[in-house]
Amino acid sequence: DNFYFIQNEEGDTIPFVRNAAQRAFCDESWSRDLLTKARQLGFSTEILIEILDLCVFRSGQTCGVIDVTLKDARKKLAKIKFAYDRLPNEIKVNVPLKKSNTEELEWENGSSVTVGVSYRGGTLQFLHVSEFGKISVNSPDVAREIKTGAMRAVHSTGRIVVESTAHGTA
């Protein structure tokens, strides 16, 4: 808490301080998490900060973020980049970005995060799948690809966080 900066709902830059729901999730998380959530509790932000933290402070980490649309996935990567850009200069000098575009961030320490609507190829240490309920209902083939491709790409010691609001067909 208080190390990273994010934008709040009004667009103001504020220190990232976990709320009670984020803290409980962080305290109870495991290597394979399914997070059914209510809107606007900050779970996606918590997960994205965890991915940034992993990439900056551990070399050679490969992370992926999957969302319903590429536009939504790109917004998540922009949140990671926003927080990285506001880190102390001493950290950014020691772990500079090597590559930065709308779908990938790669650091000089060999860590990276890629976003998209699916993932296949390579081994991941962290996978975040956002709105999997909506993906499953609207695009069952894509959901199957995520389960058989992206989730299987995560190393046995890696982490998967699947989060979604409830999304049924009723």
Side-chain angles (χ1 to χ4, degrees), residues 22-59:
Q22 291 166 325
R23 188 173 305 284
F25 170 71
C26 186
D27 290 345
E28 299 295 324
S29 65
W30 201 247
S31 64
R32 304 292 189 262
D33 289 308
L34 176 60
L35 179 59
T36 53
K37 64 179 187 118
R39 291 258 178 227
Q40 301 303 316
L41 292 177
F43 289 118
S44 291
T45 301
E46 166 67 29
I47 296 162
L48 297 173
I49 293 294
E50 288 182 27
I51 289 172
L52 174 58
D53 197 73
L54 181 68
C55 287
V56 168
F57 292 105
R58 291 197 56 202
S59 299

Side-chain angles (χ1 to χ4, degrees), residues 82-149:
F82 184 91
Y84 173 79
D85 287 344
R86 282 145 188 85
L87 284 172
N89 284 332
E90 297 80 20
I91 293 173
K92 292 187 294 185
V93 165
N94 285 302
V95 189
L97 275 170
K98 176 179 173 180
K99 183 178 186 180
S100 176
N101 59 52
T102 59
E103 295 176 24
E104 182 179 18
L105 296 174
E106 182 181 352
W107 287 269
E108 289 288 339
N109 69 359
S111 292
S112 65
V113 59
T114 305
V115 301
V117 294
S118 189
Y119 183 90
R120 194 172 278 277
T123 302
L124 293 170
Q125 282 73 45
F126 197 120
L127 174 65
H128 169 53
V129 182
S130 183
E131 295 302 342
F132 192 63
K134 187 172 186 176
I135 294 169
S136 297
V137 168
N138 295 343
S139 306
D141 290 340
V142 173
R144 195 168 13 270
E145 173 69 18
I146 291 169
K147 288 190 292 187
T148 62

